[in-house]
Amino acid sequence: MTARLTLAAVTIAFVAVGLLRPDSRLTAQAPHAPATPAVPANLAVLEAHLADVRMLTDRGENAEAYFSPDGTHLIYQSSPDPVSCDQMYVMKIDGTERRRVSNGEGRTTCGFFTPDARQITYASTHGKAAACPERPSMARGYVWPIFDGYDIYKANADGTGAVALTKTPGYDAEATIGPSGRIVFTSVRDGDMEIYSMAADGSDVKRLTNLPGPDGGAFYSPDGKRIVFRGRHPEANSAELNDYLALLKDGLWRPTSTELYIMNADGSQLRQITNNGAANFAPFWTPDGTRVIFSSNLHNVKGRNFDLFLIAADGSGLEQVTHHPDFDGFPMFSPDGTKLLFASNRDQKQRGDTNLFIARWKP
């Protein structure tokens, strides 16, 4: 979950340099962007892995939807109108029984169910202020906020009883949970955007990455032994690294391209699995743990056409999954592997809408 901003604005960053989003995992499309190319007449043939594609939301900015362990519910973030902050919602996988599970204050991002489905985690700024956090000026060029005040909370599945698991200054977010209940997340507590893990109650915090540059959006493999994430690691003493660190001190990030990495759950044996210079983000494991599905603009590096791709855990066998001429991102397989969930600008009613879609997966 890369740091999260409002969904629609994020793609402006991608249009500018091709990236992903800092405070969660990314999304949407830039206002005033060129008209979307025509949808291919044979889209259903091109998207051969997807059947019975259904839209679950119908307006606003919706993204980062993730299945409950039993595959019956989804947790996701949504901003129904352009002026509101993202809040956390839960609904059934058919789009019914929607309910807000965050308290309506601050900005929230990156919701996830615990392995027993009795609780949820998410990041929120409401502990610092009830109002939406202010956006930075563009005085230093196109930058994105790494919102100060984000902490990770755990609550009952209905949203009650929320307690903070982190209380460090700056940014703690992008939390996901492994099968053992251990949490992996992104934090700037040591002066860089690094990946950490912690016990289910917030104790036993361990730093897992130690490379300069923005790392985040991490997910455990189905067996909990590996972690996949997105990152970028500028050369030591480079202008890019110096600019990145200077901005980060002020809670800002200048969007850029990112690659995908896999490491063991303890941070060892780090290896890069993409190397295409595009904005690769939102990686998620296939249920058998052999491949990773992710979003990338690798066929449109200067533009906003993000598609979903599959790649083997060793970096081989790249395969394109979606072919719509607009944004597709934030993919997640259902626990049994029969469904794929993703966010998309396809079939939008109003320019800039990002909606959630579910499809039957055809291997």
Side-chain angles (χ1 to χ4, degrees):
M1 302 166 190
T2 124
R4 203 139 216 170
L5 338 173
T6 85
L7 297 179
V10 172
T11 310
I12 301 177
F14 283 110
V15 170
V17 273
L19 135 64
L20 83 215
R21 98 198 260 169
D23 70 43
S24 154
R25 290 149 233 200
L26 158 97
T27 184
Q29 79 188 9
H32 315 303
T36 301
V39 177
N42 62 339
L43 183 65
V45 175
L46 292 172
E47 298 186 340
H49 282 300
L50 308 182
D52 306 326
V53 180
R54 292 181 290 123
M55 182 190 289
L56 300 180
T57 58
D58 60 4
R59 68 185 179 93
E61 297 175 348
N62 309 273
E64 288 206 61
Y66 301 103
F67 284 99
S68 60
D70 63 2
T72 63
H73 288 77
L74 311 174
I75 186 168
Y76 66 104
Q77 68 183 50
S78 178
S79 177
D81 62 74
V83 298
S84 63
C85 264
D86 290 334
Q87 293 294 317
M88 202 58 51
Y89 293 80
V90 168
M91 66 179 172
K92 287 187 173 181
I93 62 169
D94 62 1
T96 62
E97 296 187 18
R98 258 176 245 184
R99 61 189 187 280
R100 178 165 54 81
V101 292
S102 54
N103 65 8
E105 298 179 352
R107 182 183 298 280
T108 68
T109 186
C110 309
F112 215 77
F113 283 96
T114 57
D116 62 5
R118 295 179 180 178
Q119 293 180 299
I120 55 174
T121 58
Y122 59 87
S124 176
T125 63
H126 77 263
K128 182 174 182 179
C132 287
E134 293 185 9
R135 299 192 178 284
S137 74
M138 296 294 107
R140 298 168 75 174
Y142 191 86
V143 293
W144 205 247
I146 306 299
F147 285 119
D148 182 30
Y150 260 131
D151 277 306
I152 297 168
Y153 290 79
K154 178 175 278 189
N156 296 324
D158 62 2
T160 61
V163 296
L165 297 182
T166 64
K167 297 180 181 179
T168 56
Y171 175 82
D172 289 311
E174 308 178 30
T176 60
I177 308 175
S180 71
R182 192 162 181 88
I183 297 168
V184 64
F185 65 103
T186 301
S187 177
V188 299
R189 62 185 61 200
D190 293 324
D192 196 358
M193 291 174 66
E194 301 285 3
I195 296 175
Y196 299 75
S197 71
M198 63 182 172
D201 62 359
S203 64
D204 190 31
V205 176
K206 295 180 179 178
R207 181 170 169 174
L208 302 180
T209 56
N210 288 278
L211 293 172
D215 293 315
F219 288 89
Y220 282 102
S221 59
D223 62 6
K225 295 181 179 180
R226 293 168 294 165
I227 292 170
V228 65
F229 65 99
R230 54 86 189 155
R232 182 178 177 87
H233 307 123
E235 292 185 8
N237 302 316
S238 65
E240 180 185 347
L241 180 60
N242 292 337
D243 179 66
Y244 164 74
L245 293 174
L247 286 171
L248 195 61
K249 288 181 180 178
D250 296 328
L252 302 171
W253 181 35
R254 196 183 311 283
T256 186
S257 59
T258 53
E259 303 291 352
L260 301 184
Y261 297 81
I262 289 175
M263 61 184 171
N264 290 341
D266 62 1
S268 64
Q269 295 187 22
L270 177 70
R271 54 209 180 273
Q272 185 174 335
I273 63 169
T274 65
N275 187 23
N276 54 38
N280 307 285
F281 78 104
F284 195 86
W285 297 88
T286 56
D288 63 4
T290 63
R291 293 189 290 175
V292 171
I293 190 168
F294 65 101
S295 184
S296 178
N297 64 348
L298 71 88
H299 292 325
N300 186 220
V301 174
K302 297 293 185 180
R304 59 187 171 83
N305 181 12
F306 283 77
D307 280 304
L308 303 183
F309 295 82
L310 280 168
I311 193 169
D314 64 2
S316 65
L318 182 69
E319 179 185 0
Q320 187 168 344
V321 174
T322 63
H323 292 261
H324 195 279
D326 219 324
F327 172 85
D328 292 316
F330 304 115
M332 182 191 189
F333 284 100
S334 60
D336 64 4
T338 63
K339 300 176 184 65
L340 182 71
L341 184 65
F342 63 102
S344 180
N345 290 144
R346 62 178 69 194
D347 301 335
Q348 55 191 293
K349 292 182 178 179
Q350 295 186 9
R351 189 75 173 157
D353 281 355
T354 304
N355 286 299
L356 303 179
F357 291 78
I358 193 169
R360 180 166 55 85
W361 180 257
K362 296 167 63 180

